[in-house]
Amino acid sequence: KRTEQRVEELAQAQKRTEQRVEELAEAQRGLGIAVGALQRVVGATVEEEAAGVVEVILRRKGYRILQPAFSLALDGEIDVVLPVEDPSGRKVWAVVEAKARLSQRDIHAWSQRMRSPAWHQQLTEKGCVGPYLVYAYGIRTDLSAQETAQKEGIGLLKSDGEILAPQALVEAQTPPSPG
């Protein structure tokens, strides 16, 4: 009889454990949803801040803003696209990669993407025909990111302004036709 009682107690304890595990799993799912929502809000805020900064910087340099900044989904997203006219009247596209924390790897990857003929073709297909003023924006940037931006010729922005100006416009190139 004692064995049966012990087995019954163990079965009840197992049931309670399974119920607690299910409650924890449900709480974890809720936490995952909340964290995802927070990441989207922070990402959108960083992108909005980057758009505001690049608009002010370019206006101060004599560029005319042709339309409000927008993001562009390609094979990966361009966080900020801003069509502007330079002081001589030429249309150029300011493009900005925006991150809360900007690393050397982020700068290098962005530079490679913005110099890729295949990427230029995708941009052209979306109506962004170049040339491009390439910037990276970060709330926090480490020294290696700044060194890489300088070496790669990419402009660097923070909330208080331009740290580095782009060294030159990146001209649009399209990949060679097969054949």
Side-chain angles (χ1 to χ4, degrees), residues 106-116 134 152-154:
D106 295 326
I107 298 280
H108 183 69
W110 177 234
S111 174
Q112 294 304 303
R113 198 172 344 149
M114 282 310 302
R115 285 176 170 72
S116 159
V134 182
E152 303 269 351
I154 287 183

Side-chain angles (χ1 to χ4, degrees), residues 140-158:
R140 184 171 181 273
T141 58
D142 56 37
L143 284 175
S144 63
Q146 290 183 33
E147 286 176 355
T148 303
Q150 189 163 17
K151 187 175 78 181
E152 303 269 351
I154 287 183
L156 190 58
L157 302 169
K158 289 181 73 171

Side-chain angles (χ1 to χ4, degrees), residues 49-76:
E49 192 172 305
V53 170
V54 76
E55 285 180 23
V56 169
I57 294 300
L58 293 180
R59 250 195 249 95
R60 286 180 182 170
K61 290 181 168 197
Y63 288 83
R64 189 168 68 84
I65 308 300
L66 299 176
Q67 73 181 65
F70 58 94
S71 63
L72 190 60
L74 296 172
D75 181 18

